[in-house]
Amino acid sequence: MTDDLENRLEHMLADRGRPDPVSVEALLNGIDALPPRRARPLAPAAAAVLAVALIGLVGIVALHPPLYLGGPPLPPNPAAFAGDPRLDACFGDAGEVEAAFEMRAARDYQRHLPGMLRSPELEVDDPAFVVVFAGDVSLPRVQPASGEGQIVCVLVGDTPNVYVGVDTSGLLAVVPMRSAAPTATVPSPVPTATPVAGPTVAPAPAWAADLTGQLECGMINASIGNEVVVAAEPMDPVATPEGALGILLGAGRAYAWLPATGFEPAIIEGDWALHRYTVDGRLKVIAISTKRFEQSRDDIGWEIVGLRACNPAEFDPADGLSDGSTIWLDDAGDRVPTAMIFSRPGPGHCGWESATFLHLEGSLYLRDPEDVLAGRTVMSFATVDAMPADAVDTGLHTSEWRLFTVRDTRVVYVKAGDGVIERWARAIDQFACL
């Protein structure tokens, strides 16, 4: 490894964050995305993430190639990108490269790598370049992921994001073009009656197919999870379908942003079970579990193999969220999509539980009354006597706080129910901890 390479990565890690276990969102007590099976999102030893990484997934089937900037998509063969500066920028000389390919938009990472966990920092429209390493990489601070998964670098603009322990099974260098942005209201689709090839020998019931089509999302179409995984491998099978769902919702898991309670009793049909979550009669979450796998002729226990869900803002607030996040409301009292704003307490395993992480339109602001995140913000946290003269009431609020913005975007002001006014500062960058 060259000194220049090491210096570049040291600089990137110093500026961009610290090693992070399964999802900054998971790190911040969980967040959304059920990885297809080999990502082990439900196992205690979930894959770690580096730089600004979180983790996630979405199953997909390639139909026809999209048009990429600069010409048609190239195959994932690294030789096709020999001499490409993006390969060098993503540490391509640090180890053996198994695959390299372009993504029309970084947000499509879950379509190209169905086994990858959710990574919110990649959910942007910018083009991206992906490097998958064949083995361990000679980069400082990058440790092997206990033999599970691979090291992947995703370059967005000039920023390389390094992830450890990524399940690269099902990698697709070419995915279908995305349709236009969804409308505000999504009509209730009719699920297909044709069973898909499920992970068991016996055909799956009709309700195990087209999970997305069965949802009735009002804000945006399904944003969490994947369809039923083909040829799934058992990871954490348990005795009952309820137990499988319980693992999915368990505290401290990598997967989150699901209703903590409120699921209907499982409907069992042969080796399959259906878990539904509805709000006002409309289906918002559907999870499928099975107890039979191609690799085994014997029943070895139940496990979730497919999951799709609407945006968490569409769940019933009374049911809570599985990761402790808070959904904010607008001035009319309507829930606001998490793409705009949400907050959650800091992860206790890092000693940050006294802090609050506020995600606001792509920026991260911190409430840090005990100064446990010193040096992580552009300005210190403070309680102030009065609201600044230029403060604007956004109308965004929770049961505890109301949000005000000012011209200086480095800070926001939050007024508590008891009248106390606090200044929350913007984080220098996205970050996490081990």
Side-chain angles (χ1 to χ4, degrees):
M1 181 176 62
T2 65
D3 291 340
D4 176 65
L5 175 64
E6 181 168 347
N7 289 337
R8 284 191 293 117
L9 186 69
E10 289 280 8
H11 184 268
M12 185 266 294
L13 289 174
D15 286 348
R16 293 287 173 184
R18 301 176 181 171
D20 167 15
V22 199
S23 133
V24 154
E25 313 296 9
L27 263 174
L28 307 177
N29 287 338
I31 137 173
D32 93 34
L34 169 69
R37 310 320 299 157
R38 283 183 287 273
R40 293 191 70 89
L42 307 180
V49 180
L50 293 181
V52 291
L54 279 107
I55 322 186
L57 60 35
V58 172
I60 197 71
V61 177
L63 302 177
H64 58 81
L67 298 176
Y68 282 73
L69 298 177
L74 295 175
N77 181 3
F81 296 94
D84 192 313
R86 295 173 297 178
L87 191 62
D88 179 63
C90 227
F91 314 109
D93 54 350
E96 182 183 352
V97 176
E98 179 179 295
F101 59 93
E102 300 166 313
M103 294 194 294
R104 181 181 181 87
R107 66 174 62 256
D108 286 339
Y109 69 98
Q110 299 169 312
R111 310 174 77 204
H112 290 275
L113 292 164
M116 190 172 176
L117 298 174
R118 185 173 180 268
S119 301
E121 73 281 354
L122 297 182
E123 294 173 3
V124 295
D125 294 326
D126 301 344
F129 184 75
V130 180
V131 175
V132 178
F133 292 93
D136 295 345
V137 179
S138 300
L139 297 177
R141 304 185 192 176
V142 175
Q143 301 297 324
S146 304
E148 295 181 13
Q150 293 175 260
I151 296 176
V152 173
C153 176
V154 181
L155 182 72
V156 183
D158 297 327
T159 303
N161 300 283
V162 182
Y163 304 82
V164 174
V166 177
D167 177 5
T168 57
S169 57
L171 182 152
L172 295 173
V174 177
V175 298
M177 289 281 286
R178 283 192 181 276
S179 59
T183 56
T185 354
V186 178
S188 303
V190 179
T192 173
T194 305
V196 295
T200 67
V201 177
W207 41 253
D210 190 18
L211 307 190
T212 302
Q214 297 180 59
L215 292 182
E216 299 172 274
C217 302
M219 295 181 179
I220 189 170
N221 210 347
S223 60
I224 301 171
N226 58 271
E227 297 292 320
V228 173
V229 180
V230 177
E233 293 181 3
M235 288 293 178
D236 299 290
V238 293
T240 64
E242 290 75 13
L245 182 64
I247 288 180
L248 183 66
L249 304 179
R253 297 290 179 177
Y255 192 85
W257 273 18
L258 289 174
T261 60
F263 281 83
E264 299 172 359
I267 297 173
I268 301 175
E269 186 175 321
D271 296 332
W272 295 82
L274 167 66
H275 310 259
R276 289 165 45 95
Y277 174 84
T278 61
V279 177
D280 297 328
R282 299 174 68 85
L283 184 61
K284 300 298 182 181
V285 181
I286 182 170
I288 305 295
S289 58
T290 187
K291 63 175 181 177
R292 183 63 66 87
F293 299 87
E294 289 181 350
Q295 297 84 349
S296 174
R297 295 184 178 181
D298 301 319
D299 292 346
I300 60 175
W302 292 90
E303 187 163 349
I304 300 291
V305 292
L307 168 74
R308 294 300 276 164
C310 301
N311 189 281
E314 298 195 42
F315 305 155
D316 187 337
D319 292 324
L321 291 177
S322 56
D323 70 335
S325 290
T326 296
I327 301 298
W328 286 60
L329 309 176
D330 62 19
D331 215 11
D334 296 324
R335 284 166 282 175
V336 179
T338 54
M340 179 178 180
I341 184 173
F342 70 93
S343 60
R344 62 161 47 93
H349 66 276
C350 302
W352 296 349
E353 61 271 24
S354 63
T356 298
F357 289 69
L358 173 68
H359 297 260
L360 176 64
E361 296 183 325
S363 294
L364 172 62
Y365 293 87
L366 301 177
R367 179 182 189 271
D368 189 16
E370 296 185 11
D371 205 25
V372 295
L373 295 168
R376 289 290 185 181
T377 53
V378 297
M379 197 179 298
S380 62
F381 168 84
T383 299
V384 299
D385 295 330
M387 202 69 74
D390 64 339
V392 175
D393 185 351
T394 65
L396 299 171
H397 66 282
T398 70
S399 60
E400 296 181 80
W401 298 310
R402 192 171 187 89
L403 181 67
F404 294 77
T405 57
V406 291
R407 286 190 294 271
D408 184 353
T409 59
R410 295 177 302 167
V411 295
V412 294
Y413 288 82
V414 177
K415 186 174 183 179
D418 59 5
V420 173
I421 301 171
E422 298 175 339
R423 183 185 70 196
W424 298 12
R426 191 178 67 221
I428 293 173
D429 209 334
Q430 299 282 347
F431 65 94
C433 73
L434 280 176

